[in-house]
Amino acid sequence: MRAADKGDTGELLRKAMEKFGKRFQGKVAIVTASTQGIGFSIAERLGSEGASVVVSSRRQNNVDEAVEKLRARGIEVLGVVCHVSNAQQRKNLIETTVQKYGKIDVIVSNAAVNPSVDAILETKEAVLDKLWEINVKAAILLLQDATPHLQKGSSVIFISSAAGYQPLASLAMYGVTKTALLGLTKALAAEMAPDTRVNCIAPGIVPTRFADFLTSNDEARMAIEEKILLNRLGTTEEMAAATAFLASDDASYITGETLVVAGGAPSRL
């Protein structure tokens, strides 16, 4: 079975805009690793619903291209270069946002790496350090910088993965770091309540550059789709829709939760 094509998801997005309108009007949202893939679609969705969005990634040209695309869609956007493992760049991301917009209402922590497909017990220490530093530690440190500027009623969303529940052999240690985000969501929801809600999205496999090694091979892709109740891979727009829900006031009584968005793929009870 095919993944939902751009026409399908584009039409769903248009209908959603008509239904939900401007849920983020007057809000300021930071999305890390947001110049392509899931992060870009999240920034686009929040911006389409009225947010001023701040996009970031490690490379200036990627940031510039994302900003141009979003502005062409009528979205108020600021682009900042930020490698989340760089302390000064994290601080600059927050400071630049506050200087321009005066506050922060939504933070979507999307940055992640998977530099190895080795078994856990064969993974080099430097790779273990990189996985933990970017996938978990940097998310905490970014919030430490951002917390003084978060508004009452603000929302934090971590982008985990269904692999946090069911790690694939080729994504084993990556899956463990994503499991850590599930616990971090619970812990920070308690710590940041009642003024800030903290939730998590656990996407299934979505065809992006990040997941290309899993989805570019037709045989491997079909094997994955056979295990999904909806018989297809997800789309970046579908992950963005779920993120927008949890970040919005429609989810005002939800905190400390993880929403699995995986088409019915095996995840949890």
Side-chain angles (χ1 to χ4, degrees):
M1 298 289 290
R2 63 171 177 80
D5 62 30
K6 287 292 183 180
D8 293 338
T9 54
E11 180 64 14
L12 288 172
L13 180 61
R14 184 188 65 79
K15 289 180 178 178
M17 295 303 99
E18 294 175 354
K19 179 179 180 180
F20 295 115
K22 299 291 185 179
R23 291 185 294 183
F24 297 99
Q25 191 71 48
K27 305 288 188 181
V28 177
I30 294 175
V31 186
T32 63
S34 48
T35 59
Q36 60 186 5
I38 291 174
F40 180 83
S41 285
I42 291 171
E44 182 180 33
R45 179 62 183 258
L46 298 179
S48 295
E49 291 197 42
S52 297
V53 293
V54 182
V55 297
S56 67
S57 74
R58 294 176 296 170
R59 296 181 177 86
Q60 184 69 59
N61 63 316
N62 290 348
V63 171
D64 292 343
E65 288 176 7
V67 167
E68 184 177 354
K69 290 177 182 177
L70 293 172
R71 283 182 179 159
R73 292 162 171 74
I75 292 169
E76 168 60 34
V77 57
L78 171 67
V80 181
V81 172
C82 180
H83 193 312
V84 294
S85 67
N86 183 302
Q88 187 53 51
Q89 290 188 12
R90 285 194 308 269
K91 291 182 184 297
N92 181 61
L93 175 63
I94 300 303
E95 291 174 357
T96 302
T97 299
V98 173
Q99 286 171 4
K100 183 171 179 64
Y101 297 115
K103 63 172 184 171
I104 303 169
D105 298 286
V106 176
I107 294 180
V108 180
S109 183
N110 176 60
V113 295
N114 182 43
S116 172
V117 294
D118 292 334
I120 292 175
L121 297 182
E122 297 175 0
T123 303
K124 295 179 180 179
E125 183 175 0
V127 174
L128 292 173
D129 288 343
K130 184 174 183 178
L131 279 159
W132 280 105
E133 182 174 0
I134 294 178
N135 295 6
V136 183
K137 180 181 174 183
I140 298 170
L141 295 175
L142 180 69
L143 282 180
Q144 288 181 355
D145 292 334
T147 295
H149 309 287
L150 288 173
Q151 303 299 291
K152 186 173 183 179
S154 58
S155 180
V156 172
I157 310 291
F158 294 112
I159 306 302
S160 178
S161 170
Y165 292 102
Q166 298 285 339
L168 301 173
S170 57
L171 294 169
M173 195 60 214
Y174 168 84
V176 171
T177 64
K178 292 301 187 176
T179 305
L181 292 182
L182 309 183
L184 184 62
T185 297
K186 290 289 188 184
L188 286 180
E191 187 171 318
M192 301 181 77
D195 292 339
T196 299
R197 295 183 300 107
V198 182
N199 290 294
C200 185
I201 297 289
I205 297 174
V206 177
T208 63
R209 181 185 295 180
F210 188 87
D212 188 61
F213 76 104
L214 289 171
T215 61
S216 60
N217 180 280
D218 289 341
E219 185 175 341
R221 180 171 178 151
M222 288 177 63
I224 293 170
E225 291 174 339
E226 287 174 357
K227 298 178 182 178
I228 299 172
L229 296 184
L230 297 185
N231 295 129
R232 65 172 177 84
L233 303 183
T235 68
T236 61
E237 291 86 355
E238 287 168 327
M239 305 308 125
T243 303
F245 164 67
L246 284 181
S248 76
D249 289 341
D250 287 336
S252 59
Y253 201 54
I254 301 174
T255 194
E257 299 296 339
T258 297
L259 177 59
V260 178
V261 190
S267 57
R268 59 181 177 183
L269 293 176

